[in-house]
């Protein structure tokens, strides 16, 4: 049964990709779960050495990419949802697509913070990495407090308690202390240069993954990998040249212009990106892309939790374009942060705005700040593909 | 220059849905009209005096997560209830969103049946019917209360029309007592309780609402009413609100 489904999924995935119907990484899993709800319990879906789940508001894609990369480079077979499809159906699709006829050594999956509870009903992980928790998509998740309670209850239900790993700096995670977690980001060297990575209080190497969140993401991955048996030194070496996960600081050259994508999907990621971008003096153009589809959260109120002084600082004197289905909301928000927004630079038509920016002779270094579904759309327009 | 003082109550504890934006927007729009704007944050532990309340132009209070509401509740009931009540009843200008709107009523009955006493300033109550009953979440379009629309400070500064737009997200349902007037009637969305089409409360110069967005972002007429009324200005200087008016208009076409 599993083999048939795996084969079917691969064909379906190939058809979806070839016909450009979408990324094809969620609904094959959705369909399979309907046909064969027991699929996660199938003996073929076994991870003989470990199953790592990475969750939290920000950093999931990058951190799980780091962990999966090291394990793959060490020669293990790894199932991973590196595209960021992180609900139950995305995890199932990832397993089916990467199946090569024998059980996996490892599974490394990023899991949406609200979907963690349902994923834990199907799978019993060996490691759960909790990165952080802040406001995101309140219309879907309601409130962070409620989510924490649900996590605790779901962990308690598991047959075998996984090794819980948390950021010790996140006060909210104190409720997870009952699971005797392993901590990351506890101590760090006093002085850390832009591209250095650390473990406990010493610098252990360098990375090409610079930028706001990655210091912690990297540290979290090292701690997790060490617990699965990979020495810190080896992880650092294997990760030295690993670049950005898609849309997280990713850079692209197009028609002689430099584009950088910074996923900005909630106040925490937006503010951190803005602090980083304020220091990037060569940026001359910003494109803000705001959607309010279900994966983004349908309430756009959160854009007022973006700190206005940070917006003003990062954008002062730069060209600003605004697009996405809720571009007017974003334009109003930018105006209330004291920025001047030209009506001609605001349009829900992402294609038109992208064309305008690329055709404008004055734009050269362009930073795109999209929220989640907006990033998929922009990438599709600019690069011809939504995801990897 | 005349002063414009915003009293931002429980900024730390009650700021779940971007509601801080309301204070930023009021400050921005008042500044553009030449007022000398000051935001005074009143939190747990702030000692209030009657004189502090007298200098407020607008009092603002938002909504919070359960943990935030727990932190400020005792402080409000024990040390600030009298001030807030006197302020509202004597016609002070105020905006109360979501959780703080609920707190001004008689009580909040939670899903497990426990009762949280309100400030009892108004005759309404809020009940959460449990997580099996659908949470009131989605886009809202509502028609503004006629009395408010006809108020000189509202009418003179209104370049939007008779609608309010926003996003609601609440588990509790609020039932207004007889004799209380809603802020608006929903044409899209749940409003106070999903039954009687009412949304929010309008009393003297107090506006209560479930709308986020934040509410003042796409409803500049409401923001200007608060500024005009609290500064006794009939007609405020017009601002270039082209983008904001477009945003309001576009919001009327959103799905719930």
């Amino acid at each position: 049964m599993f083999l048939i489904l795996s084969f079917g999924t691969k064909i379906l995935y190939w058809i979806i990709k070839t016909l450009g119907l979408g990324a094809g990484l969620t609904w094959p899993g959705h369909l399979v779960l309907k046909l064969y709800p027991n699929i996660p319990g199938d003996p073929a879906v076994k991870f003989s050495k470990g199953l790592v789940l990475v969750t939290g508001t920000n950093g999931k894609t990058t951190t799980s990419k780091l962990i999966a990369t090291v394990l793959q480079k060490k020669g293990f077979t790894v199932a991973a949802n590196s595209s960021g499809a992180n609900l139950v159906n995305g995890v199932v699709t990832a397993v089916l697509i990467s199946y090569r006829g024998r059980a996996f050594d490892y599974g490394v999956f990023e899991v949406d913070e609200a979907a963690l509870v349902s994923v834990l009903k199907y799978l019993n992980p060996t490691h759960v990495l909790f990165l952080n928790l802040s406001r995101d998509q309140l219309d879907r998740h309601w409130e962070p407090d409620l989510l924490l309670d649900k996590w605790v209850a779901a962990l308690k239900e598991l047959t075998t308690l996984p090794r819980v790993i948390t950021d010790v700096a996140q006060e909210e995670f104190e409720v997870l202390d009952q699971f005797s977690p392993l901590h990351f980001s506890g101590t760090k060297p006093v002085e850390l240069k832009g591209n250095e990575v650390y473990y406990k209080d010493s610098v252990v190497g360098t990375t090409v993954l610079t930028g706001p969140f990655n210091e912690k993401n990297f540290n979290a991955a090292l701690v997790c990998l060490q617990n699965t048996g990979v020495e810190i030194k080896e992880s650092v070496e294997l990760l030295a040249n690993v670049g950005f996960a898609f849309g997280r600081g990713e850079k692209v050259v197009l028609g002689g212009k430099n584009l950088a994508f910074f996923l900005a999907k909630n106040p925490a990621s937006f503010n951190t990106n803005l602090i980083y971008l304020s220091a990037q003096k060569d940026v001359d153009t910003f494109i803000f892309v705001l959607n309010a589809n279900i994966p983004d959260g349908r309430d756009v109120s959160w854009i007022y939790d973006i700190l206005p002084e940070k917006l003003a600082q990062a954008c002062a004197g730069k060209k600003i374009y605004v697009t996405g289905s809720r571009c007017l909301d974003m334009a109003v928000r930018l105006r209330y942060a004291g920025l001047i927004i030209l009506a001609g630079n605001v349009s829900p038509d992402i294609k038109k705005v992208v064309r305008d920016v690329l055709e404008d002779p004055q734009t050269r270094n362009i930073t795109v700040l999209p929220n989640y579904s907006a990033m998929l759309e922009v990438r599709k327009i600019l690069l011809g593909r939504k995801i990897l | 220059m005349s002063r414009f003082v915003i009293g931002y109550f429980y900024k730390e504890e009650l700021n779940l849905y971007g509601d801080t934006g309301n204070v930023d927007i009021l400050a921005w729009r008042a500044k553009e009209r030449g007022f000398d704007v000051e935001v005074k944050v009143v939190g747990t532990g702030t000692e209030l005096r009657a004189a502090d309340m007298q200098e407020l132009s607008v009092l603002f209070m938002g909504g919070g997560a359960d943990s935030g509401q727990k932190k400020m509740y005792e402080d409000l009931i024990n040390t600030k209830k009298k001030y807030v009540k006197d302020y509202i009843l004597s016609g002070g200008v105020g905006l109360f969103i979501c959780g703080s709107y609920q707190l001004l009523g008689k009580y909040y009955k939670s899903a497990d049946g426990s009762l949280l006493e309100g400030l009892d300033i108004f005759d309404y109550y809020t009940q959460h019917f449990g997580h099996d009953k659908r949470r009131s979440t989605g886009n809202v379009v509502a028609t503004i209360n006629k009395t408010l629309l006809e108020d000189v400070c509202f009418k003179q500064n209104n370049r939007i029309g008779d609608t309010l737009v926003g996003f609601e997200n609440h588990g509790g349902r609020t039932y207004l007592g007889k004799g209380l007037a809603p802020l608006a009637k929903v044409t899209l969305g749940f409003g106070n309780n999903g039954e009687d089409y009412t949304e929010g409360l309008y009393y003297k110069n107090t506006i209560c609402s479930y709308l986020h967005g934040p509410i003042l972002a796409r409803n500049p007429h409401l923001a200007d009413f608060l500024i005009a009324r609290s500064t006794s200005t009939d007609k405020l200087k017009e601002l270039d609100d082209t983008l904001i008016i477009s945003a309001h208009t576009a919001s009327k076409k959103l799905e719930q």
Side-chain angles (χ1 to χ4, degrees):
Chain A
M1 185 66 175
F2 183 85
L3 277 175
I4 298 168
L5 291 171
S6 169
F7 185 62
T9 301
K10 284 176 195 169
I11 291 178
L12 201 55
Y13 172 66
W14 181 80
I15 292 172
I16 294 168
K17 287 280 277 190
T18 311
L19 299 182
L21 299 174
L25 292 163
T26 52
W27 68 267
H30 182 77
L31 196 68
V32 167
L33 277 169
K34 285 253 187 264
L35 290 172
Y36 182 37
N38 278 334
I39 185 130
D42 191 288
V45 188
K46 254 178 116 174
F47 308 98
S48 57
K49 294 188 184 299
L51 171 60
V52 180
L53 303 182
V54 180
T55 193
T57 312
N58 293 307
K60 295 184 288 286
T61 305
T62 301
T63 309
S64 49
K65 179 185 174 180
L66 295 174
I67 296 168
T69 304
V70 167
L71 296 171
Q72 272 158 355
K73 285 193 175 180
K74 281 182 66 72
F76 295 116
T77 53
V78 180
N81 55 344
S82 42
S83 66
N86 60 17
L87 306 178
V88 180
N89 50 18
V91 172
V92 169
T93 308
V95 170
L96 292 169
I97 288 175
S98 39
Y99 189 67
R100 295 289 177 272
R102 65 181 177 96
F104 298 95
D105 295 325
Y106 283 100
V108 180
F109 301 111
E110 67 158 283
V111 180
D112 173 86
E113 52 275 37
L116 180 66
V117 173
S118 43
V119 171
L120 289 180
K121 279 189 194 133
Y122 290 111
L123 300 169
N124 192 332
T126 54
H127 295 79
V128 187
L129 182 46
F130 294 93
L131 293 171
N132 48 57
L133 185 61
S134 66
R135 298 167 188 190
D136 188 15
Q137 303 177 35
L138 286 165
D139 59 310
R140 194 157 66 88
H141 298 167
W142 305 352
E143 295 157 10
D145 299 353
L146 289 174
L147 206 54
L148 275 164
D149 292 346
K150 287 186 185 173
W151 285 353
V152 169
L155 285 169
K156 282 183 175 164
E157 290 284 309
L158 292 173
T159 323
T160 319
L161 193 66
R163 169 56 92 179
V164 171
I165 305 171
T166 66
D167 181 352
V168 71
Q170 290 265 313
E171 275 177 41
E172 301 88 336
F173 286 170
E174 275 174 19
V175 296
L176 298 169
D177 283 352
Q178 57 186 301
F179 303 110
S180 320
L182 206 60
H183 290 306
F184 67 93
S185 94
T187 49
K188 73 176 208 184
V190 188
E191 275 213 44
L192 204 60
K193 294 196 194 80
N195 64 340
E196 285 177 339
V197 291
Y198 69 97
Y199 177 70
K200 293 196 170 156
D201 50 9
S202 31
V203 174
V204 288
T206 56
T207 170
V208 292
L209 266 189
T210 51
F213 290 112
N214 288 323
E215 192 185 298
K216 271 200 180 181
N217 293 339
F218 211 102
N219 189 250
L222 292 182
V223 170
C224 179
L225 282 162
Q226 192 191 36
N227 197 258
T228 64
V230 188
E231 286 309 316
I232 298 293
K233 191 167 168 279
E234 188 178 5
S235 292
V236 173
E237 278 166 16
L238 292 173
L239 290 173
N241 294 312
V242 174
F244 294 100
F246 75 105
R248 279 81 171 170
E250 179 192 32
K251 294 184 173 75
V252 181
V253 180
L254 207 71
K257 314 226 174 196
N258 304 311
L259 286 124
F261 297 89
F262 288 89
L263 180 68
K265 56 179 181 156
N266 50 43
S269 64
F270 225 113
N271 287 328
T272 319
N273 283 327
L274 288 173
I275 293 169
Y276 174 75
L277 291 167
S278 301
Q280 310 303 306
K281 299 293 175 214
D282 56 344
V283 176
D284 49 58
T285 306
F286 279 97
I287 309 178
F288 291 89
V289 199
L290 181 67
N291 281 350
N293 298 326
I294 290 177
D296 308 310
R298 298 184 56 241
D299 181 10
V300 297
S301 301
W302 65 271
I303 59 177
Y304 285 82
D305 285 324
I306 305 169
L307 299 169
E309 61 277 11
K310 299 265 180 291
L311 269 176
Q313 220 173 17
C315 300
K318 319 257 160 118
K319 276 179 173 275
I320 300 171
Y321 288 84
V322 193
T323 184
S325 64
R326 300 301 291 272
C327 59
L328 285 163
D329 295 80
M330 194 59 181
V332 169
R333 200 280 160 269
L334 293 166
R335 178 170 182 265
Y336 276 129
L339 296 161
I340 295 161
I341 307 297
L342 305 174
N345 288 4
V346 181
S347 163
D349 185 345
I350 301 181
K351 263 190 194 153
K352 176 197 174 299
V353 170
V354 164
R355 199 177 50 229
D356 288 352
V357 173
L358 291 177
E359 284 174 2
D360 183 340
Q362 287 173 21
T363 63
R364 175 149 191 88
N365 296 310
I366 302 153
T367 289
V368 190
L369 286 160
N371 65 339
Y372 191 74
S373 75
M375 187 185 68
L376 301 188
E377 278 189 59
V378 175
R379 282 181 57 98
K380 173 86 183 157
I381 290 164
L382 283 170
L383 310 174
R385 57 188 193 277
K386 282 186 179 175
I387 307 186
L388 299 171
Chain B
M1 234 186 329
S2 325
R3 285 176 85 206
F4 184 80
V5 183
I6 305 169
Y8 189 173
F9 276 54
Y10 303 109
K11 178 184 182 183
E12 296 303 319
E13 295 84 1
L14 304 181
N15 62 356
L16 191 58
Y17 297 94
D19 287 325
T20 292
N22 289 318
V23 173
D24 293 345
I25 290 164
L26 278 177
W28 195 90
R29 296 183 75 86
K31 240 177 238 166
E32 290 289 306
R33 270 63 175 255
F35 290 102
D36 183 11
V37 178
E38 192 181 334
V39 177
K40 290 204 162 179
V41 175
V42 176
T44 53
T46 307
E47 275 190 41
L48 274 184
R49 294 161 306 153
D52 296 325
M53 297 303 286
Q54 259 163 19
E55 68 167 12
L56 294 188
S57 310
V58 178
L59 191 167
F60 174 75
M61 221 161 132
D66 287 351
S67 61
Q69 302 220 21
K70 263 182 224 149
K71 276 183 208 153
M72 50 70 65
Y73 178 76
E74 294 292 324
D75 182 77
L76 175 67
I77 295 284
N78 295 337
T79 73
K80 303 189 173 72
K81 176 176 171 173
K82 181 184 172 303
Y83 293 113
V84 174
K85 188 169 183 170
D86 289 352
Y87 181 87
I88 288 175
L89 296 180
S90 64
V93 179
L95 177 63
F96 300 85
I97 301 296
C98 202
S100 59
Y101 164 30
Q102 296 171 345
L103 278 172
L104 302 187
K106 288 190 169 311
Y107 62 84
Y108 179 93
K109 192 173 184 181
S110 59
D112 63 14
S114 60
L115 222 57
L116 191 72
E117 232 180 273
L119 296 192
D120 200 13
I121 300 173
F122 297 114
D123 174 26
Y124 59 77
Y125 68 95
T126 304
Q127 187 166 353
H128 194 305
F129 292 92
H131 293 296
D132 298 335
K133 193 151 183 172
R134 194 179 154 192
R135 193 173 166 91
S136 308
T137 303
N139 289 304
V140 178
V141 181
T143 310
I144 300 169
N145 181 317
K146 285 233 156 46
T147 318
L148 177 59
L149 274 176
E150 290 305 319
D151 182 291
V152 64
C153 285
F154 199 98
K155 202 172 181 174
Q156 294 277 335
N157 298 294
N158 182 2
R159 291 159 64 212
I160 292 281
D162 64 355
T163 44
L164 284 177
V165 295
F167 191 95
E168 64 183 332
N169 188 0
H170 50 112
R173 293 166 183 240
T174 299
Y175 298 86
L176 301 182
K178 282 207 174 80
L180 287 180
L183 168 66
K185 289 254 175 178
V186 291
T187 52
L188 179 78
F190 294 88
N192 283 336
N193 50 49
E195 292 165 30
D196 61 14
Y197 301 101
T198 63
E199 152 49 33
L201 172 87
Y202 169 51
Y203 166 85
K204 286 189 181 172
N205 297 316
T206 294
I207 304 285
C208 293
S209 175
Y210 273 119
L211 298 191
H212 302 288
I215 188 170
L216 299 183
R218 281 170 279 154
N219 298 299
H221 46 349
L222 189 63
D224 283 354
F225 163 72
L226 297 171
I227 297 170
R229 172 45 48 85
S230 59
T231 58
S232 310
T233 321
D234 283 352
K235 179 93 178 91
L236 297 163
K237 187 183 96 182
E238 264 188 27
L239 303 177
D240 176 9
D241 283 339
T242 323
L243 279 171
I244 300 171
I245 294 168
S246 305
H248 183 99
T249 309
S251 296
K252 290 203 272 190
K253 292 181 203 125
L254 292 172
E255 287 172 24
Q256 189 189 359

